[in-house]
Amino acid sequence: MQSQSSSPAARIEKLVKTFGATRALDGIDLEIPVGHALGLLGPNGAGKTTTVRILTTLLRPDSGRAWVAGHDVLAEPDAVRRSIGLSGQYAAVDENLSGYENLYLVARFHGLSRAQASRRSRELLAGFRLEDAAERLAKTYSGGMRRRLDLAGALVARPPVVVLDEPTTGLDPRSRLETWGVIGELVADGASVLLTTQYLEEADRLANTIAVIDRGRVIARGTSDDLKARIGGERLELVVAEHHALSVARQVFAEVGSAEPKVNEQARQVSVPVDDGPKALVEAMNRLDGVRVLDVGLRRPSLDDVFLSLTGHTVEGE
């Protein structure tokens, strides 16, 4: 067993897991330093949830090892469970209990006394902006409120490691922003977090570093800026009014860009990666004097851009 004082918050080495003919994990390695948030990014079926289930002792790997808070997930599953808070893809709340009763029940399961459970429940309800709804049944909560209640339940025992498996999938934009705020506060307070998500914007906002997983393998890792830079950083995009101007725009973009321009004839659009976006934009517009431009701007790579570059398909694809 690793020494808990010297170990990272969580560590995975060469994990392999198969389901019949499907190799869900193909030897992945991950590490989460203490007080660090790691975003595990990938499309559906990439292996994110399988990784979470192994790390939280809900599934045994075929081979490889994993530790949480210094404890081996296979040799010391009880110690691992005492060290983690887990919030899955769907809010695990009892709809027939109030918000307060949900948290109180979880606290009692963790061995807190009645007084301690009550105090901790009230503290979390206030911290997650659910104080006014504390006595309402959970089935009357909005999606965002249920997610916040579920996150609060994962933190009842003050675990050193928090695992969040696609916490905003299926939420409306407002609920997603509310949930991001809660998770952001959790990270800011120094929690060690594993966040799985399909949304680069979510990982960009909440994670210190990102690992991209596809078909059971980690294919890239780094900050969101690192990942975006791998496909050319900013892109300069232009839409001209007349088709005959496309050839002129393409030539100019070839001169100011850092790679071969792409032309969309139907949309009358030209785009090119650029090293210095503002400078390239000014130079391009100066050289295109006399060309009627309908739209022009700088754009950073999107989630689909990153995935298309790294995997050959978009985030929804397999």
Side-chain angles (χ1 to χ4, degrees):
M1 184 183 76
Q2 293 179 330
S3 168
Q4 186 163 351
S5 61
S6 62
S7 66
R11 184 175 179 182
I12 290 173
E13 292 182 354
K14 304 186 186 309
L15 279 189
V16 173
K17 182 63 183 179
T18 58
F19 298 98
T22 301
R23 199 171 180 86
L25 296 180
D26 194 14
I28 71 168
D29 297 285
L30 293 171
E31 186 171 296
I32 308 173
V34 173
H36 190 94
L38 173 68
L40 189 59
L41 187 70
N44 288 329
K48 303 188 303 296
T49 297
T50 301
T51 301
V52 165
R53 294 181 67 192
I54 290 173
L55 202 61
T56 56
T57 77
L58 299 175
L59 187 67
R60 294 179 65 90
D62 296 334
S63 62
R65 301 185 68 185
W67 299 264
V68 176
H71 304 291
D72 189 300
V73 299
L74 295 180
E76 306 169 276
D78 290 340
V80 170
R81 292 169 192 145
R82 289 192 294 268
S83 302
I84 61 174
L86 171 63
S87 180
Q89 294 183 24
Y90 307 100
V93 300
D94 190 324
E95 294 189 342
N96 294 312
L97 297 178
S98 69
Y100 169 80
E101 290 168 338
N102 266 280
L103 297 184
Y104 180 85
L105 185 63
V106 173
R108 293 289 284 158
F109 281 150
H110 278 287
L112 276 65
S113 69
R114 292 181 179 179
Q116 289 172 328
S118 180
R119 184 166 55 251
R120 181 61 174 157
S121 298
R122 297 295 181 189
E123 178 182 280
L124 287 167
L125 287 165
F128 281 79
R129 302 184 297 280
L130 292 169
E131 210 167 14
D132 292 342
E135 308 308 325
R136 284 170 45 192
L137 296 183
K139 64 184 177 183
T140 69
Y141 284 16
S142 67
M145 292 171 69
R146 292 188 192 190
R147 174 54 68 191
R148 297 207 303 274
L149 183 61
D150 186 60
L151 288 172
L155 302 178
V156 163
R158 295 184 173 87
V161 180
V162 180
V163 180
L164 307 176
D165 188 15
E166 300 195 11
T168 64
T169 296
L171 294 184
D172 60 80
R174 179 176 179 179
S175 296
R176 179 170 291 150
L177 288 174
E178 289 178 347
T179 304
W180 284 357
V182 170
I183 299 172
E185 292 170 7
L186 182 65
V187 174
D189 287 341
S192 301
V193 176
L194 173 62
L195 168 72
T196 78
T197 180
Q198 297 182 58
Y199 306 113
L200 183 59
E201 183 183 1
E202 184 165 277
D204 191 1
R205 180 163 176 167
L206 302 175
N208 300 105
T209 57
I210 297 169
V212 179
I213 184 172
D214 188 46
R215 296 181 174 89
R217 295 183 178 182
V218 176
I219 59 172
R221 68 184 79 209
T223 66
S224 61
D225 286 339
D226 292 337
L227 297 179
K228 293 172 184 177
R230 289 181 60 164
I231 61 171
E234 289 183 314
R235 298 185 68 85
L236 178 60
E237 292 187 348
L238 175 86
V239 178
V240 295
E242 294 89 17
H243 276 95
H244 66 79
L246 280 173
S247 60
V248 177
R250 183 189 178 284
Q251 179 60 38
V252 169
F253 272 36
E255 295 168 355
V256 303
S258 58
E260 185 69 18
K262 292 183 178 179
V263 178
N264 184 327
E265 295 274 354
Q266 184 174 6
R268 301 189 307 281
Q269 181 190 69
V270 184
S271 65
V272 69
V274 290
D275 294 327
D276 186 337
K279 181 180 179 181
L281 174 60
V282 171
E283 288 188 6
M285 295 310 296
N286 285 337
R287 298 185 191 188
L288 288 169
D289 186 31
V291 173
R292 193 153 66 94
V293 175
L294 297 182
D295 188 30
V296 64
L298 294 169
R299 184 174 69 85
R300 300 194 73 190
S302 68
L303 174 64
D304 281 349
D305 293 331
V306 172
F307 268 84
L308 188 59
S309 173
L310 293 174
T311 71
H313 56 73
T314 61
V315 69
E316 294 84 5
E318 289 301 319

